[in-house]
Amino acid sequence: MYKLATATFLGVTTTLTLFFSFPPPPKSFYHSLFLSTSISDNASVAHHLYTLTRRPHVAGTPANAEAAAYVLSTLASYNVRAHIAAYDVLLTYPISRSLTLTRPPPEPAVKFILRQEIYDGDPYADVANEVFPTFHGYAKSGTATGPVVYVNYGRVEDYETLKEMGVNVTGTVVLAKYGQIYRGDIVRKAYEAGAIGVIIYTDRKDYGGGGGDVKWFPDDRWMPPSGVQVGSVYTGAGDPATPGWPSTKGSERLSNEEIEKEGDVPLIPSLPVSGADGETIMRSLGGQLAKDDWQGSKDAPPYRVGPGPGILNLTYSGNQTIATIENVIGVIEGVEEPDRYVLLGNHRDAWTFGAVDPNSGTAALLEIAQRLGKLLKKGWRPRRTIVFCNWDAEEYGLVGSTEWVEENRALLASKAVAYLNVDCAVSSAGFHAASTPQLDQLLRQAAQQVQDPDNSSQTIYESWAGQSTSAPVNLIMEVDRLGGGGSDYAAFVQHVGVPAADLFFGGGYPVYHSMYDDFVWMEKFGDPMFHRHLAVASIWGLIALRLADEEFLPFDYLSYASELQKAAKDLEDELIDKELNLTPLFKAIEDFRGAATKINIDVKAIKESKSWSSIWKEYHMRERELNDRLMMAERAFADPNGLFGRSWYKHLIYGPSKHNDYGSKSFPGIDDAIEEAKKVSTSDSWHSVQHEIWRVSRAVKHASQVLSGKLT
């Protein structure tokens, strides 16, 4: 009797405890706490940026290894388990370079100094000698001597203009402004046009404030006359010596000759120069007057196209070396679904000090880690695993992220929910975002919850949409697409097919990739109070939290269907006079819309069926299966064969423009085929266009099947 009574009493006690114990707070409670001012810290984010930018830290250097150690230890201090993922990759550094301009008599020759100048009171004067001599990453070593031709921004249309003017570029050294296309594409187009060397400069009209009485850094935000924008001229992604596989220790590597045959490293020498040097070269040109929209600032000399009479002698010698780069990877493991990954990424390496590019993003990443560490102490645990990725060698060609994705391709293809990228987090006011379309609605919702750092009466959403708080709540905020290869999202989206987003405040900024991109510039002009850093961390982290914590992934494939329909209509308009069949594409998109509608209905039905049944295994299996369909649909757009002639790029819906790695294209394979067909105008070439239309149609159909979750 005694034992029975005791058991009964204990049973009642247990029941009462279960009945009266307080349940843990919902995930939304922690999400609101994440956004609260009580756990955000602009002093901390400023300290991170100051520490990371104290010295120049080019990939593969001891200074960048020190920066990696700082990120690693900081993550660990926030209770984030972190480690180094290292790779041995091919990088290049300058040995020597010279540039001499020979002008018609009696003008003397000019030997350019090729040096960025420190300014009075420069707090970084003591480490200015650590800034690398101005150069292009992966530039071809060699000498080029020839008359100068001005090619504007070096685009395809600029060379067409020169051809119409009767200007022959063959055998010349071209002078190009930076500002419209990727510098690697500038060099490639020059080579294809017959040039033997390339000089790229930053024009005052674009980067120097337009000339006149404008002041420059440190008195204003503009590039000083001696400022030089350095950067890579490699047009591939990842280590050029290991295309498609990771650069792990002892891995297979291509020879230099094989690398050149791959077609992604330049075949003629190039150098970046300052706006002042570019203008000096411009004054040596004769020939026809350039078009009005090719001209410089109001007090610049008239721009002529040449050739000559100025003659440039360009010599560059670079050192190719196998260097160790270090990605820092931090992990907060999920509780319910530890095998599903939500990834946040930013790169750490910089051409010089890197206050905007990229360490404003690194500081924001560490701010998110700090806030999540505080949430962990308050009892929060993510449903899915959150992975922090701090990449190395992005500046050379997305090297660190690409090698890591290539090494982890199979795991990412089966387990990655989404990748959220921030590169240059802050350069000025104004929020911008780009994504794969199923994330559009999530971006908008997150932007509605974060205050605009430059207008406390509005949310980021309201400012982004260009409206006041009295505006209708159904305003559509434009989200750009992620087709270009401009940052570390490329390997995730275009190689594996992982949903992704890219976020930032500002945009292009005058001191980009120069030695003046330092903490002083950021503190004076980019984000004086570091409130924009906090805002980008808030929206970035909130999106990650919702992806990591929500029971059903907050993906909207109806948005994707609308974007596909829009792109297909634009394609139809472009091909209106061609005998091509777009019916398969439109039919596939319509089926995709139906599958997107059906999966939304399925989600709603499962949510409504949840009650006490949520403890049953069947419910969780249905939930998991549906989330897998949402997660895997993007993979179906990645074709194993890739784009024709660009097989590393697998995504058939979004990819970089063939002529501008920074530019985004819808249906890039179709676009490439159309360009070739217009050039050669043969029946076979237009048949290739039709084939690419069929390829995209099949990819969209495959994505519909994934969303439906049923075999045929």
Side-chain angles (χ1 to χ4, degrees), residues 623-640:
E623 172 192 83
R624 173 81 165 192
E625 186 270 341
L626 192 144
N627 276 332
D628 283 351
R629 286 152 56 191
L630 290 166
M631 182 181 76
M632 297 300 291
E634 186 75 38
R635 312 286 198 273
F637 295 128
D639 187 285

Side-chain angles (χ1 to χ4, degrees), residues 648-664:
W648 186 87
Y649 296 97
K650 310 292 185 186
H651 209 286
L652 299 189
I653 309 302
Y654 297 113
S657 164
K658 196 172 184 178
H659 301 293
N660 177 18
D661 194 55
Y662 287 165
S664 175

